[in-house]
Amino acid sequence: MAGNRLALITGASAGIGAEFARQYAAKGWDVALTARRLDRLDGLAREIEEKYKVSAMTISQDLARDGAADTILHELKEAGRHVDALVNNAGYGLPGTFFNTSWKEQADFIRVLYTVPIELTHKLLPGMAERDFGRIINVASLAGYAPGSSGHTLYASVKAGLIKFSESVHAEAETAGHDIHCTALCPGFTWTEFHDVNGTREMTNESPEWMWMEAAPVVKAGLEGVARGQPVVVPGMVNKGVATLTRILPEPVGRAIMKKQGKRFRKVD
């Protein structure tokens, strides 16, 4: 197992993050799993080691805390491991509007979903370049293509930022001639705990089933896309159609649609 490549996955305790861990392990990769819930991580690690016969390391860390990224990387260094693939998956929704949430809530949100993914990428890229191999997947969202909505104010802007960031890192690595691929994975509605945690499950359950995907095909699309060197991956035909529509619709029309439909899946109180 010591000779296996290692994938570091944030937000690995459930949902898309846990599925990334399983699919990387199925490919023979060792995995380093980080999230806040150590009990969930340890359970997943045991499952992975028993089923796939690879090494699974767990690191309990709250990415909203100062120094979280350095702590994770220090623990990996102490274990004598370097990162070959980074999956920036940790995230959540922050219900409410910009008016009725505190700055600390917003600042923590920006840190977990945007600052730390960029920090981890920046600190791991030199080693990837030195070894001439690296795979980075930033879990963005279809929301990054859509107009902003009332409620969950920074979600779309952060995800749009991750898309542009991933495109730029990928272009820089390609220009430098490195075997480093950076991909923004942009899922739409996915069956995970995400909507339970942010209190929108009842609202999103009103959406038709054909709009939803399971985590497994979402992750599979991300892994295949980063292997091919795609800077952006939108999984599923429905999501691809929505992403295309956001590009061709006149902006006032797009905003009007979001204003009308946003309240179906955005909690503003």
Side-chain angles (χ1 to χ4, degrees):
M1 290 190 291
N4 294 344
R5 294 194 187 278
L6 177 72
L8 169 61
I9 302 158
T10 71
S13 59
I16 288 175
E19 185 60 29
F20 263 113
R22 293 185 179 101
Q23 291 198 28
Y24 262 116
K27 293 177 179 293
W29 287 56
D30 293 341
V31 292
L33 314 174
T34 183
R36 291 177 299 173
R37 297 178 289 184
L38 186 59
D39 57 333
R40 296 285 292 269
L41 291 177
D42 287 343
L44 177 60
R46 287 192 296 271
E47 172 199 327
I48 284 173
E49 290 186 336
E50 290 172 6
K51 184 172 183 180
Y52 301 108
K53 311 305 179 187
V54 298
S55 173
M57 177 181 179
T58 61
I59 305 170
S60 176
Q61 194 63 218
D62 182 353
L63 299 186
R65 293 180 179 175
D66 289 342
D70 284 337
T71 299
I72 292 168
L73 298 181
H74 176 74
E75 290 201 27
L76 289 170
K77 185 177 180 180
E78 288 292 296
R81 301 304 304 264
H82 63 256
V83 175
D84 299 292
L86 168 65
V87 180
N88 285 309
N89 167 74
Y92 57 96
L94 182 59
T97 67
F98 211 60
F99 293 92
N100 63 17
T101 51
S102 70
W103 173 243
K104 185 180 186 312
E105 288 174 312
Q106 297 291 350
D108 286 351
F109 180 85
I110 295 168
R111 178 164 182 77
V112 173
L113 276 81
Y114 196 59
T115 306
V116 170
I118 293 171
E119 181 181 1
L120 284 171
T121 301
H122 189 269
K123 290 178 175 179
L124 288 171
L125 273 172
M128 291 179 173
E130 184 179 338
R131 294 183 296 274
D132 196 31
F133 182 88
R135 300 292 182 262
I136 301 164
I137 299 176
N138 294 313
V139 180
S141 171
L142 196 59
Y145 286 100
S149 66
S150 176
H152 300 246
T153 318
L154 291 178
Y155 192 81
S157 59
V158 161
K159 295 303 187 179
L162 276 180
I163 294 170
K164 297 305 180 187
F165 170 68
S166 301
E167 289 175 327
S168 293
V169 171
H170 183 85
E172 290 177 5
E174 189 174 51
T175 300
H178 293 303
D179 185 13
I180 297 173
H181 300 167
C182 186
T183 295
L185 175 62
C186 303
F189 288 132
T190 307
W191 294 111
T192 68
E193 296 179 4
F194 178 88
H195 299 286
D196 300 307
V197 173
N198 69 23
T200 58
R201 172 62 65 196
E202 191 172 324
M203 301 166 70
T204 54
N205 278 349
E206 297 177 5
S207 303
E209 286 196 15
W210 53 265
M211 293 182 65
W212 290 80
M213 290 183 68
E214 298 287 345
V218 169
V219 169
K220 183 173 185 288
L223 291 177
E224 291 176 349
V226 77
R228 287 194 299 263
Q230 287 181 250
V232 181
V233 171
V234 179
M237 294 307 298
V238 171
N239 294 331
K240 285 181 171 64
V242 172
T244 300
L245 276 175
T246 61
R247 293 188 185 96
I248 62 177
L249 281 175
E251 289 184 6
V253 174
R255 284 193 288 268
I257 292 173
M258 179 58 74
K259 183 177 180 180
K260 181 177 180 181
Q261 298 296 325
K263 58 187 176 182
R264 296 177 56 191
F265 48 87
R266 293 285 188 264
K267 191 172 182 180
V268 297
D269 54 10

